[in-house]
Amino acid sequence: MVAGEERLKRVLTTTRVRWAGFAGLVALHVVLAALLFDPKPFVGGDNAGYMILAESIESGQGYRDIELPDSPRHGRFPPLYPAVLAVAGMLGGGLIAFKTLSMICTTLAVVFFFGLARRRLGWEGGLAAAAPVALSPVLLYYSHWVLADALFVALTLLALCASERSEGSLRWLALSVGAALLAFLASAPGLPLILALLIAMAWRKSWRRLAETAVPVALTLGGWWLWVGLAGSRVAVAGSGNFLLADPFAPELGYVGPGELLARTVNNVRAYSADVLPQSLAGVSPGGGLSLIALFAALLLLALAMVAWVREVRRVRVLELFAVLYAGAIFVWPSVWLDRRLLLPLLPILILYAVTGVIWCFDFLRARRPAWVLPAVGVVLVFLTVSDNVRRVAYNQRCIKFYRQGDHLACYPPPWRAFVQTAHWVRDNTPADAVVVSQDPRLYYLFSERRGTMFPLTSDDATMLAFFDETGVDYVALAGPSPANYRYLVPVIRSVTERFIVEHAIGEETMPAYVLRYMPETVDANIPEGR
């Protein structure tokens, strides 16, 4: 047995084998990302929002929401990712190029994380931690959507990797700070990373470096928050204090009190631990498939990670500070933002700490750690990803087949198919300057090339119609899965049918979709009952 372990140890410590293992992980991530590559637009509004902002920059209109009738300044998303997309667009890139950029970013994230893990854990521990990250269902999921998450995670891991080498090195410090600032400009949740860097410098009493770093930090954060103020954004951004709103998308609901904030935090901790983390590790939620195994693995991983963090935090390094600051941020943020997207930057760090926790357990027990232990940890975590990755690859390949045959809507759910079909009808049958009301004007603009607006969430007919008149609405798209369509739009339409003319109808009886022409003056018209 000992002889076998010695042979395994010699194999694992061979430089060629080590680099081959790392190259294999990166290649496997690229292959899986390619097999999961989805060429159609994502039906999330943020996806459309980034591309619209890129179009605004590329066309010389500035940083504006050009899908809205008055093209106001945009104050929600920081500008780095749309600017990168705009450059890609100027170079002749389109949707496929944008998606490929995300795949490149997730691949770089794997590389940067391995650099960080190898610095902390050595080759064997680094490979054991990097393997489940490279095959993570959630990282692979965001490898083909036009969202800032892939770029944000790559820059965050680059900053953390560089921070491990920054002590006594101005070059690595500059790289760490620069990557952190870019991460913030890619996604507002990058603020905890900047704070972690500043706190670490202050703790070490590196006052000169802190002062030098504070200048670009102040210019970057201050510049963005000044722009947000000028834009009059009603959406919360990290660090603005608006996370205390009951709902950042409905500021009129006001702020939460101490008790409500505590209840929100407890609920978020439970949800991230028992639901989001298992999904991120295995791609399944508790209640189906590998759910119990994934839940047990997630809780064990979390326990090991917490033990390791408690031991490591005494050294007050950037990684430990970022982990607690970022976790604290997502725990107090409004529950409407609770999602795997927010956990994505923290997931690799949790895995790194879990592997560290395994090493510490052997040290604590003063037991000899066999050579196979760390590779086994990596294999177990990778095993969790297999079922979901296989299932999603098989499904995606069927969708790719339909896509190549010309049916680009085959893999959209029926309500979204109808949404896209009505948008295409609007694009082909309405004037270029038409204004369309829809459940998501960003997404509708992406498919219809027509400006539009969201309808007000009110059941008052007079308020709704006054908004239509003031905004210059020409058409109403009653399409998509949003319950708000049937809660707010349908009652108004039925109460004043003479103001709406059905121009186009599509879909099943249980979920119909309509394009209606809005008439400022009374016109005889009828709308089918629908749902």
Side-chain angles (χ1 to χ4, degrees):
M1 181 69 177
V2 175
E5 286 186 12
E6 288 298 323
R7 285 196 298 271
L8 176 60
K9 186 174 182 179
R10 285 197 298 271
V11 170
L12 293 176
T13 55
T14 303
T15 302
R16 183 177 298 177
V17 171
R18 287 171 167 177
W19 282 110
F22 169 63
L25 282 180
V26 175
L28 190 55
H29 176 82
V30 172
V31 169
L32 280 174
L35 290 173
L36 290 167
F37 193 87
D38 191 335
K40 67 180 185 296
F42 181 46
V43 291
D46 288 356
N47 165 87
Y50 284 118
M51 286 190 280
I52 291 169
L53 290 170
E55 179 186 341
S56 177
I57 296 172
E58 186 181 353
S59 61
Q61 298 179 64
Y63 200 56
R64 295 180 173 274
D65 291 317
I66 59 174
E67 81 281 6
L68 300 177
D70 54 347
S71 297
R73 290 172 175 166
H74 180 82
R76 180 183 177 190
F77 298 137
L80 179 63
Y81 186 59
V84 171
L85 295 181
V87 171
M90 293 175 188
L91 296 176
L95 180 61
I96 300 300
F98 296 163
K99 288 172 173 281
T100 303
L101 178 64
S102 292
M103 187 167 69
I104 293 172
C105 287
T106 59
T107 303
L108 289 174
V110 173
V111 173
F112 297 147
F113 175 69
F114 175 72
L116 171 63
R118 184 167 71 98
R119 184 78 176 180
R120 285 284 182 104
L121 305 173
W123 271 94
E124 288 71 33
L127 288 172
V133 172
L135 276 64
S136 165
V138 64
L139 187 64
L140 288 167
Y141 179 79
Y142 287 106
S143 70
H144 55 267
W145 296 134
V146 186
L147 295 167
D149 301 85
L151 177 61
F152 173 62
V153 172
L155 289 170
T156 297
L157 292 174
L158 173 59
L160 294 172
C161 181
S163 73
E164 293 290 304
R165 300 170 178 266
S166 63
E167 191 169 350
S169 172
L170 290 176
R171 181 179 61 181
W172 286 106
L173 177 63
L175 178 59
S176 180
V177 172
L181 293 177
L182 290 176
F184 174 81
L185 291 176
S187 183
L191 181 61
L193 179 57
I194 296 174
L195 292 177
L197 283 164
L198 297 177
I199 293 172
M201 292 179 200
W203 182 265
R204 292 185 174 84
K205 298 181 180 180
S206 301
W207 306 120
R208 181 176 177 180
R209 289 188 175 184
L210 179 60
E212 292 171 345
T213 303
V215 175
V217 167
L219 291 175
T220 302
L221 273 61
W224 170 241
W225 288 335
L226 176 61
W227 175 266
V228 170
L230 293 173
S233 176
R234 299 173 70 241
V235 179
V237 294
S240 67
N242 287 343
F243 64 86
L244 294 176
L245 286 170
D247 185 342
F249 299 101
E252 63 275 7
L253 296 178
Y255 293 88
V256 296
E260 294 168 311
L261 184 62
L262 178 61
R264 174 199 288 178
T265 302
V266 171
N267 177 69
N268 285 351
V269 170
R270 182 208 60 78
Y272 276 110
S273 302
D275 190 12
V276 180
L277 182 56
Q279 289 183 36
S280 300
L281 287 174
V284 295
S285 58
L290 285 173
S291 59
L292 292 179
I293 298 175
L295 178 59
F296 175 77
L299 295 178
L300 179 59
L301 180 143
L302 194 57
L304 289 168
M306 291 179 66
V307 168
W309 181 86
V310 169
R311 282 181 53 82
E312 296 291 337
V313 74
R314 291 174 294 180
R315 300 179 62 181
V316 191
R317 291 181 289 186
V318 175
L319 181 60
E320 282 69 42
L321 293 170
F322 170 73
V324 69
L325 289 172
Y326 188 85
I330 65 175
F331 289 158
V332 300
W333 276 18
S335 298
V336 294
W337 281 338
L338 194 149
D339 189 67
R340 294 188 304 170
R341 291 175 66 178
L342 286 179
L343 189 64
L344 186 56
L346 198 58
L347 180 64
I349 298 170
L350 288 174
I351 292 174
L352 184 151
Y353 279 138
V355 177
T356 306
V358 171
I359 295 173
W360 179 82
C361 287
F362 278 92
D363 293 342
F364 177 77
L365 296 172
R366 296 181 180 179
R368 186 179 65 86
R369 176 164 48 88
W372 53 265
V373 168
L374 295 186
V377 172
V379 169
V380 169
L381 291 175
V382 165
F383 172 76
L384 293 173
T385 71
V386 172
S387 176
D388 188 68
N389 283 334
V390 170
R391 176 184 61 81
R392 290 196 299 126
V393 165
Y395 175 80
N396 192 62
Q397 291 306 301
R398 290 196 297 271
C399 290
I400 293 293
K401 181 180 178 181
F402 288 124
Y403 194 90
R404 288 174 175 170
Q405 293 172 350
D407 188 354
H408 295 179
L409 304 181
C411 287
Y412 283 134
W416 282 116
R417 278 203 300 271
F419 180 91
V420 176
Q421 288 170 329
T422 61
H424 287 168
W425 184 90
V426 166
R427 179 193 62 195
D428 298 334
N429 296 277
T430 64
D433 60 350
V435 176
V436 184
V437 163
S438 67
Q439 72 172 52
D440 191 327
R442 298 174 301 176
L443 196 60
Y444 214 75
Y445 177 88
L446 185 67
F447 290 110
S448 70
E449 301 174 9
R450 298 293 183 270
R451 293 185 176 185
T453 183
M454 173 71 177
F455 49 87
L457 302 182
T458 176
S459 299
D460 183 74
D461 294 356
T463 301
M464 182 78 77
L465 295 175
F467 174 81
F468 286 176
D469 292 336
E470 292 170 5
T471 311
V473 170
D474 299 298
Y475 295 90
V476 174
L478 186 58
S482 173
N485 286 335
Y486 294 92
R487 182 175 180 181
Y488 299 109
L489 270 183
V490 169
V492 173
I493 293 170
R494 285 178 175 166
S495 67
V496 284
T497 56
E498 67 275 8
R499 302 287 293 273
F500 299 90
I501 298 178
V502 177
E503 297 282 355
H504 184 65
I506 196 172
E508 304 171 359
E509 290 186 5
T510 56
M511 185 64 74
Y514 303 100
V515 177
L516 305 104
R517 181 150 48 95
Y518 175 68
M519 306 298 295
E521 298 179 356
T522 302
V523 175
D524 290 332
N526 289 294
I527 178 173
E529 284 296 312
R531 190 174 70 176

